Amino acid sequence: MWKPYLKLIALRAQNALNILDRFHIAQKLGNAIDDVRTAETKELKRKGKQVVLKNSRWCLLKSPENLTDNQKVTLKDLLRCNLKTIRAYLLKEDFQNFWDYASAAWASKFMDQWCTQVMRSKLEPMKKVAKTIRAHKHSS
């Protein structure tokens, strides 16, 4: 997803497919969740409310199957809260379904719907990820 790399591929291998890189997408989604969590924590502190997001970073960034028992309990508690961070987490987890598609057409349809949902979410860091994905989809 790095522009110089994509330009070099376009120059040297004109017939190459532009394939989304799972690692970099996961990294961008993780950074977006962390940005939402950080902003929401500051907002809760400013309003004098209980900061339930403290020590929750890895619960939100790790794959659910890799969580420790304590992290599973923390995540379960967090999922009961109506927080922007939880909305961002659920969008990240929903995107994982993209990798299961065998059909390029169905994967593309899923991605379009996911990006539309994210753009309506009012979560700016997540919207930035959706815009990046859309930009790379249209450049391929």
Side-chain angles (χ1 to χ4, degrees), residues 98-112:
F98 170 78
W99 307 110
D100 295 332
Y101 283 96
S103 161
W106 283 108
S108 179
K109 182 174 179 153
F110 171 85
M111 186 180 297
D112 290 342

Side-chain angles (χ1 to χ4, degrees), residues 28 45 53 65 96 135:
K28 288 186 179 306
K45 282 182 182 177
L53 293 167
E65 61 272 7
Q96 297 312 307

Side-chain angles (χ1 to χ4, degrees), residues 2-67:
W2 189 44
K3 281 198 191 275
Y5 178 77
L6 294 173
K7 285 181 182 179
L8 182 64
I9 294 297
L11 179 68
R12 303 279 179 161
Q14 293 90 3
N15 295 327
L17 291 174
N18 183 5
I19 297 179
L20 292 174
D21 175 357
R22 189 175 194 155
F23 171 79
H24 286 103
I25 299 259
Q27 182 183 44
K28 288 186 179 306
L29 287 169
N31 289 342
I33 289 172
D34 218 26
D35 291 347
V36 172
R37 184 187 62 82
T38 301
E40 191 165 31
T41 297
K42 288 177 184 175
E43 183 181 337
L44 289 170
K45 282 182 182 177
R46 189 177 46 78
K47 290 180 177 179
K49 294 187 177 182
Q50 182 184 6
V51 182
V52 294
L53 293 167
K54 190 171 183 172
N55 300 320
S56 66
R57 181 174 191 228
W58 296 113
C59 299
L60 301 167
L61 297 180
K62 279 179 155 180
S63 295
E65 61 272 7
N66 294 332
L67 294 174

Side-chain angles (χ1 to χ4, degrees), residues 47-89:
K47 290 180 177 179
K49 294 187 177 182
Q50 182 184 6
V51 182
V52 294
L53 293 167
K54 190 171 183 172
N55 300 320
S56 66
R57 181 174 191 228
W58 296 113
C59 299
L60 301 167
L61 297 180
K62 279 179 155 180
S63 295
E65 61 272 7
N66 294 332
L67 294 174
T68 66
D69 290 339
N70 287 341
Q71 290 171 333
K72 287 177 185 175
V73 170
T74 301
L75 181 60
K76 186 176 178 182
D77 291 343
L78 285 173
L79 289 171
R80 293 184 184 134
C81 301
N82 184 20
L83 297 168
K84 294 175 188 174
T85 304
I86 297 308
R87 287 191 358 246
Y89 169 80

